[in-house]
Amino acid sequence: MTILVTGAAGFIGSAVSTALLARGQTVLGLDNLNDYYDPALKQARLARLGTHRGFSFRQADVADRDTMLSFAEANPDVTHVLHFAAQAGVRRSLIDPYSYVTANVMGHLTVLEAARRLPNLQHLLYASSSSVYGSNSALPFREDERVDAPNSFYAVTKRSAELTSQSYAHLYGIPQTGLRFFTVYGPWGRPDMAYYSFARAIASGTPLTLYSGRRLSRDFTYIDDVVDAVLGVMDAPIDRGQARLLNIGNDRPEPVSKLIQLLEQGLGRAAVVNQGARPDADMEATWASLEAIGALTGWAPKTTLDDGVGAFLAWFRGFHPAG
């Protein structure tokens, strides 16, 4: 198989690419290497991928339709597209909404237009988000619930991508699976996410902000479990024209306060915690129902938060020696 991975220098994209290469598959990586967070981390992920003979990389923006269409024309042997490129960050979407439309709406559309020109395409998977559940209060979140009350503009763009995919599956027969990821964490992760930024704050002795809320919790999902889920879904049979949505979570929501405690224990330092009001764009609690993905693939997460945070900190100390 020849697999196109967009966002190959990103957290999930690089981890999935590594697993695909370990299976002996050919991976074509695309990423625009933007500076939403330190590009040096993206370059470090790419350096690890570059040691594999089956990996090739091109710096490109998925929202550039000429580039994407020419890429599809030049690579007709692509059998699978794993589309992870996106503009992440719930709160930044309130500051710079235009970049989210470009990356998450136009970028998704352009990938679909490229995909429908791939004569050997078997399956397109793309990253959605638990953020689409918005103000839904019934837990755990299930894929068949209505998701028409988003809390953030980021969620709007991810839901737009889901609807666009359903349309393209119907119109052009592209078999697709949207993956609603729930708070993915672990080594080589994103510095803007809470677990990583909390670790840096604790290690440096600077204050961190813990938002108020009786139920403030997240369904933290360890990266190795996410990779196993993605590969299982990619391998699962799918009919032409089918468009399905699947949660990928841990089915074990944990208080954010427990995350801080584990980081304190692992780093051997107490956190300096400031209390703050939860932003309107943030959800109070997330929890994934895993019935659908379990029935399809048999997948279930294996990593506890205690073990996952321990593995993250072992990597963190090496990547940030001063910490």
Side-chain angles (χ1 to χ4, degrees), residues 204-226:
S204 63
T206 56
L208 62 85
T209 300
L210 177 63
Y211 296 127
S212 58
R214 250 182 343 104
R215 298 193 308 161
L216 188 65
S217 60
R218 291 291 180 268
D219 202 3
F220 296 104
T221 316
Y222 188 64
I223 185 61
D224 288 1
D225 290 331
V226 168

Side-chain angles (χ1 to χ4, degrees), residues 5-19 29-34 36-49 55 57-58 60 82-88 127 181 184 186-193 195-196 223 226-227 315:
V5 179
T6 74
F11 179 27
I12 297 175
S14 62
V16 171
S17 295
T18 299
L30 292 180
D31 201 295
N32 68 355
L33 300 176
N34 69 23
Y36 171 61
Y37 59 82
D38 187 359
L41 177 55
K42 301 178 183 182
Q43 293 285 5
R45 296 184 189 126
L46 281 179
R48 297 172 73 230
L49 291 171
F55 181 74
F57 176 73
R58 178 175 178 181
L82 305 184
H83 176 38
F84 299 124
Q87 178 57 61
F181 292 119
V184 183
W188 297 97
R190 278 177 31 213
D192 62 307
M193 294 193 70
Y195 73 93
Y196 200 133
I223 185 61
V226 168
V227 170
W315 169 83

Side-chain angles (χ1 to χ4, degrees), residues 131-136 146-152:
S131 295
V132 301
Y133 289 106
S135 60
N136 288 16
R146 293 186 62 173
V147 285
D148 53 6
N151 283 353
S152 67

